[in-house]
Amino acid sequence: MKVAVFDSGIGGLTVVKSLLEHKLFEEIIYFGDTARVPYGIKDKNTIIRYSLEALEFFKNFEVDILITACNSVSAYAIPELKQNAPFPVVGVIEPGVLALERKINDKEANILIIGTNATIKSQKYQKLLNQKGFFNLVSKPTGLFVPIVEEGIFEGEVLEAAMRHYFKDINKPDAIILGCTHFPLIAKNIKNYFQNDTTLIHSGEAIVEHLEKDFSLKKRFSKTSLKLFASENPEKLKVIAKVWLKPSIV
Ligand code: DGL
């Protein structure tokens, strides 16, 4: 089984990490559109256009499935990708909502959804959560976290200030949807900020559960080979992957 993983930049590596840990695939082809990141501040049509261009790149490989490891792409481009792809396409938003539903039994739970401007504006999470009976939702675009993570800032004053800026008026949530694949890298900090036992929903873990359940994929490959591509500075992506994916990388 060969999987294509697409993100606007390096954030999708958090999804790759989960895929590597669960050994669901023999080969992962990753493409990060590093020349044009961030997508989260762009409009729907631009995100769709960039996503279709990435799809053309993946058509050069005989992949079995494409995972859009980017919430902003998952929010807008899934219908177009599905229409044009010769293989199944899976986004991260629905799996995230299903993961939350499995973890949170109380429909009255307070849920905080954070993501890029594009993801929050799409209302995708909000609508799906409403359909599942969750109505106590607060959604907050927290786009600054993307460049902070891209800069390799995982602690300290800049991150603390950004969290204060975004969260100062938000009550402690029971669950937080990390609606951007960059955010698992600062998940611990976000959890600490609210100083409670908030349940965090992470796109990578959610997609693994989804693939195991709905695509009947199982842990079966002892080794996964990872090929990394980027539209700009692939060397930087490879260096970051070595650090982030350790020790899952083989
Ligand atoms: N990793 C992308 C996501 O999950 C966001 C980064 C961006 O704005 O391009 O939405």
Side-chain angles (χ1 to χ4, degrees), residues 73-225:
V73 169
S74 304
Y76 290 115
I78 297 294
E80 287 75 9
L81 285 170
K82 281 188 169 165
Q83 238 168 41
N84 291 283
F87 33 73
V89 178
V90 187
V92 284
I93 295 186
E94 282 189 54
V97 170
L98 294 173
L100 181 123
E101 197 187 19
R102 277 193 291 275
K103 286 188 177 157
I104 306 288
N105 296 321
D106 179 10
K107 299 284 184 206
E108 302 295 314
N110 292 310
I111 297 160
L112 172 62
I113 308 155
I114 55 174
T116 63
N117 281 320
T119 299
I120 300 300
K121 204 171 119 200
S122 77
Q123 297 270 322
K124 225 14 211 299
Y125 275 111
Q126 296 90 317
K127 283 183 191 146
L128 287 172
L129 286 165
N130 286 165
Q131 284 169 18
K132 301 283 179 194
F134 294 99
F135 289 95
N136 292 332
L137 312 178
V138 173
S139 47
K140 186 88 191 167
T142 56
L144 266 182
F145 290 153
V146 174
I148 288 176
V149 167
E150 293 262 338
E151 276 293 304
I153 298 172
F154 304 122
E155 58 187 2
E157 197 39 49
V158 172
L159 178 56
E160 295 296 325
M163 288 196 293
R164 278 196 303 277
H165 170 70
Y166 288 131
F167 300 148
K168 62 179 182 304
D169 298 323
I170 292 179
N171 292 330
K172 284 181 182 181
D174 300 308
I176 304 175
I177 293 191
L178 302 173
C180 172
T181 51
H182 282 69
F183 298 173
L185 289 149
I186 50 168
K188 234 179 28 209
N189 317 65
I190 294 172
K191 207 169 163 132
N192 284 343
Y193 180 92
F194 288 105
Q195 300 169 337
N196 70 350
D197 52 355
T198 303
T199 302
L200 297 189
I201 305 295
H202 171 323
S203 298
E205 286 158 18
I207 197 99
V208 164
E209 278 179 45
H210 176 66
L211 293 171
E212 287 174 339
K213 208 163 161 275
D214 296 330
F215 282 79
S216 306
L217 295 186
K218 287 192 182 64
K219 196 179 219 171
R220 57 189 175 125
F221 295 104
S222 55
K223 256 174 57 178
T224 303
S225 83

Side-chain angles (χ1 to χ4, degrees), residues 7-9 11-12 37-41 69-73 116 119 146 179-182:
D7 181 42
S8 56
V37 68
Y39 280 15
I41 54 167
C70 175
N71 285 264
S72 312
V73 169
T116 63
T119 299
V146 174
C180 172
T181 51
H182 282 69

